[in-house]
Amino acid sequence: QAGLTQPPSVSKGLRQTATLTCTGNSNNVGNQGAAWLQQHQGHPPKLLSYRNNDRPSGISERFSASRSGNTASLTITGLQPEDEADYYCSAWDSSLSVYVFGTGTKVSVL
Amino acid sequence: QVQLVQSGSELKKPGASVKVSCKASGYTFTRYGMNWVRQAPGQGLEWLGWINTKTGNPTYAQGFTGRFVFSLDTSVSTAYLQISSLKAEDTAVYYCARDKIGLDYWGQGTLVTVSS
């Protein structure tokens, strides 16, 4: 199934702000919204946000999500060393009735 | 608390079969669908499909029909993924993930290695 497009990597300094993007189409991101997942090396993914900007209990307010048209964004403010991870977006595609994932963005904190 | 606990790593030869289990606890198993996702070494996430835990009806993503089978044992709140006729390219970590508000809880992953 066609995936969602994410930049391969983003590098920012400690305590800076990183913005990650995720581009889909009107059947997935533009329709159902996107969720964001964080994955540290050797660990399973962890849900950071869903329905564009709802955060599960326990997720830091430093992570905020938004959507404009077919593009979703995740903003990480006050970057910390523990934010170094791979970030994936995901969305339900209502046309194909499948979950689609983004290609993933590796965040490095300098 | 919600937990999804998967079975341990498997080393299989090409052509063999494997069955991965995912035991849920901390919630009513039949209230939310269970998804299966795999991640090949160094690669991204790939959705295999999901199973309706209330009806047992599975839905497979394109490319995962035939050799991949989802099943349940609701008496022990466990979902299963069986893969037959294993190929080297099936080598990956396989995850189960609950679907409530998106994929909100994930198992720890099961590494399946296919090698002769």
Side-chain angles (χ1 to χ4, degrees):
Chain A
Q1 57 266 26
L4 309 175
T5 302
Q6 298 182 246
S9 62
V10 168
S11 297
K12 290 287 185 180
L14 191 64
R15 293 183 294 277
Q16 288 191 330
T17 295
T19 298
L20 286 58
T21 59
C22 166
T23 302
N25 60 41
S26 59
N27 294 315
N28 43 60
V29 175
N31 181 14
Q32 302 285 322
W36 287 90
L37 301 157
Q38 177 192 58
Q39 185 179 33
H40 288 106
Q41 182 72 25
H43 291 269
K46 176 182 178 181
L47 185 68
L48 294 178
S49 76
Y50 59 99
R51 292 192 204 119
N52 296 318
N53 198 23
D54 290 328
R55 278 187 303 273
S57 173
I59 300 301
S60 171
E61 292 179 353
R62 297 189 298 107
F63 296 94
S64 63
S66 62
R67 176 173 64 100
S68 176
N70 297 334
T71 298
S73 299
L74 177 72
T75 299
I76 312 171
T77 57
L79 276 166
Q80 299 296 308
E82 60 266 29
D83 298 332
E84 280 207 342
D86 293 321
Y87 291 80
Y88 294 92
C89 56
S90 69
W92 180 256
D93 190 298
S94 57
S95 173
L96 301 174
S97 293
V98 299
Y99 257 113
V100 287
F101 288 102
T103 47
T105 296
K106 185 174 188 63
V107 170
S108 297
V109 181
L110 305 175
Chain B
Q1 72 282 20
V2 174
Q3 279 193 305
L4 300 178
V5 179
Q6 297 184 225
S7 48
S9 298
E10 301 269 9
L11 174 60
K12 296 290 184 181
K13 294 189 184 303
S17 296
V18 69
K19 193 169 187 177
V20 176
S21 66
C22 169
K23 183 171 177 57
S25 61
Y27 71 101
T28 302
F29 181 67
T30 52
R31 285 193 70 177
Y32 307 107
M34 191 67 76
N35 290 250
W36 290 95
V37 177
R38 79 176 179 182
Q39 187 170 36
Q43 302 299 308
L45 302 171
E46 186 174 27
W47 187 70
L48 305 184
W50 73 289
I51 185 165
N52 186 318
T53 54
K54 191 171 297 186
T55 66
N57 183 48
T59 299
Y60 300 97
Q62 191 174 8
F64 295 101
T65 55
R67 295 192 303 118
F68 294 77
V69 176
F70 308 147
S71 61
L72 303 170
D73 185 343
T74 56
S75 69
V76 289
S77 301
T78 300
Y80 300 95
L81 164 66
Q82 184 160 0
I83 312 170
S84 59
S85 302
L86 282 163
K87 306 174 183 180
E89 51 264 42
D90 293 324
T91 294
V93 176
Y94 290 81
Y95 294 103
C96 57
R98 185 183 83 162
D99 190 355
K100 179 187 175 186
I101 46 168
L103 303 178
D104 61 341
Y105 280 93
W106 293 63
Q108 83 275 20
T110 297
L111 174 62
V112 175
T113 303
V114 184
S115 174
S116 55

